[in-house]
Amino acid sequence: MKIVAINGSHRGTLGYTQYLLNLIEKGAKNGNADFETIVLAKKKINMCKGCRVCHSDKHYLECVYNDVDDVKAIFETMKTADILIYATPIYIFTISALLKIFLERITSTADSSIKTISDSGLFFHHITKEIASKPFLVITTQDNIEDETNINVARYFETFSKFMDAPLLGVINRKLGGLIKHGKDSNAENKYPIIKTVNNALINCGEQLAQNGYVNKVTLKETNLPLIKKPAIIELLLKFDLIRNNKKIMSKVFEKAKAEMP
């Protein structure tokens, strides 16, 4: 089993995204898998300019940037993987620009003139399955506590999965990453005992990917456990638009939530 992770964080190996990938890598290696992380921040990646040269007869499925940046080499590495991991912080409610720029380059590996239907019954076009159709896991990070922050990213990869015939193995969304100082705070587990549970779940996630090719539902749920759990009554009230839309009430909820944060 070979797992290839794509780290789309602008902070490269210094951010919370890489911290989570390191935990999954540990588990994957425990499960005897090969694990490779491609850090996009360390690569040269040009933006697709929509020139469509890659769709011409002379340069069929060959991007004009193939010889001047690192994308072709990354695609070749992706072809060797059994499982991919797309990992990104959430910036302005979506994936990082770095990851988006990279993913847009997949167009050079597809022939849009060949029309087809995806396995999920969607009209689409030819894709290079060795790149686009690998089973994949998604990891997102955010400092916000709101579930709403991650919705666009989760939906993006659900759509990606359907059109690319790529099985989506799950979405791990870690909130409030800034509070734990990306593993640099030696006292973090004492402040937030749940961190140990989550970290162990991430290690188990890597091991399950290596041994089974998927993550079981219990482990996936544990990887998404909140660092700070909202009181049950607040969770209930926030489900009603009448509460959410009342600024006075929400101000009180916000003050109560702040009081429970360190």
Side-chain angles (χ1 to χ4, degrees), residues 2-3 17 36-37 76 80 137 145 147 157 190 197 243 246 251 254:
K2 181 173 181 179
I3 301 169
T17 304
E36 181 176 351
T37 299
E76 291 303 314
T80 68
L137 182 75
I145 197 172
D147 295 331
F157 281 109
N190 293 327
T197 300
I243 303 296
N246 188 309
S251 293
F254 177 64

Side-chain angles (χ1 to χ4, degrees), residues 169-172 174 197-198 200-202 204-205 208 214-225:
L169 304 177
V171 178
I172 297 172
R174 293 306 312 153
T197 300
V198 170
N200 286 336
L202 288 162
N204 290 337
C205 174
Q208 289 171 21
Y214 65 90
V215 184
N216 69 49
K217 291 181 180 179
V218 173
T219 300
L220 193 60
K221 184 176 181 179
E222 287 181 342
T223 64
N224 283 289
L225 288 172

Side-chain angles (χ1 to χ4, degrees), residues 24 84-86 135-139 169-172 205 209 215 220:
I24 291 181
L84 297 173
I85 299 175
Y86 295 113
F136 69 100
L137 182 75
V138 175
I139 299 175
L169 304 177
V171 178
I172 297 172
C205 174
L209 287 174
V215 184
L220 193 60

Side-chain angles (χ1 to χ4, degrees), residues 94-253:
T94 190
I95 63 177
S96 72
L98 187 57
L99 181 58
K100 184 63 166 60
I101 288 169
F102 169 71
L103 290 176
E104 285 183 1
R105 291 284 297 278
I106 290 177
T107 190
S108 67
T109 69
D111 186 341
S112 60
S113 70
I114 302 175
K115 305 305 180 186
T116 185
I117 298 176
S118 73
D119 291 344
S120 56
L122 296 170
F123 290 101
F124 200 39
H125 56 65
H126 156 269
I127 53 176
T128 298
K129 289 183 175 291
E130 295 83 1
I131 296 171
S133 300
K134 304 283 187 177
F136 69 100
L137 182 75
V138 175
I139 299 175
T140 65
T141 61
Q142 63 185 72
D143 282 340
N144 202 332
I145 197 172
E146 292 282 5
D147 295 331
E148 185 80 15
T149 311
N150 183 55
I151 286 178
N152 283 341
V153 177
R155 187 70 182 89
Y156 174 89
F157 281 109
E158 287 171 8
T159 300
F160 183 96
S161 170
K162 291 176 182 177
F163 277 98
M164 298 295 190
D165 293 332
L168 175 56
L169 304 177
V171 178
I172 297 172
N173 178 230
R174 293 306 312 153
K175 304 171 186 174
L176 298 174
L179 286 182
I180 69 170
K181 305 296 188 292
H182 311 320
K184 299 171 185 176
D185 183 354
S186 60
N187 198 37
E189 288 188 7
N190 293 327
K191 295 177 184 175
Y192 316 104
I194 195 66
I195 289 177
K196 189 172 184 178
T197 300
V198 170
N199 286 355
N200 286 336
L202 288 162
I203 293 170
N204 290 337
C205 174
E207 193 164 345
Q208 289 171 21
L209 287 174
Q211 296 180 342
N212 306 322
Y214 65 90
V215 184
N216 69 49
K217 291 181 180 179
V218 173
T219 300
L220 193 60
K221 184 176 181 179
E222 287 181 342
T223 64
N224 283 289
L225 288 172
L227 194 61
I228 298 174
K229 190 170 178 61
K230 299 172 189 171
I233 184 63
I234 291 180
E235 289 276 15
L236 178 62
L237 291 174
L238 292 181
K239 292 181 179 180
F240 297 97
D241 289 341
L242 185 64
I243 303 296
R244 277 281 191 184
N245 296 333
N246 188 309
K247 194 168 184 179
K248 187 175 181 180
I249 294 176
M250 283 304 297
S251 293
K252 291 182 180 180
V253 171

Side-chain angles (χ1 to χ4, degrees), residues 31-137:
N32 297 315
D34 291 330
F35 193 101
E36 181 176 351
T37 299
I38 297 171
V39 182
L40 296 184
K42 293 185 176 182
K43 303 294 183 180
K44 182 177 181 181
I45 301 172
N46 290 313
M47 291 187 292
C48 172
K49 58 182 183 179
C51 66
R52 299 184 65 82
V53 171
C54 58
H55 296 275
S56 66
D57 291 338
K58 187 176 180 179
H59 297 280
Y60 186 66
L61 301 187
E62 290 290 333
C63 181
V64 294
Y65 293 128
N66 274 355
D67 296 327
V68 297
D69 72 5
D70 298 314
V71 173
K72 184 177 181 180
I74 296 172
F75 285 160
E76 291 303 314
T77 300
M78 291 170 69
K79 288 180 181 179
T80 68
D82 297 294
I83 293 173
L84 297 173
I85 299 175
Y86 295 113
T88 177
I90 295 175
Y91 293 137
I92 317 298
F93 319 115
T94 190
I95 63 177
S96 72
L98 187 57
L99 181 58
K100 184 63 166 60
I101 288 169
F102 169 71
L103 290 176
E104 285 183 1
R105 291 284 297 278
I106 290 177
T107 190
S108 67
T109 69
D111 186 341
S112 60
S113 70
I114 302 175
K115 305 305 180 186
T116 185
I117 298 176
S118 73
D119 291 344
S120 56
L122 296 170
F123 290 101
F124 200 39
H125 56 65
H126 156 269
I127 53 176
T128 298
K129 289 183 175 291
E130 295 83 1
I131 296 171
S133 300
K134 304 283 187 177
F136 69 100
L137 182 75

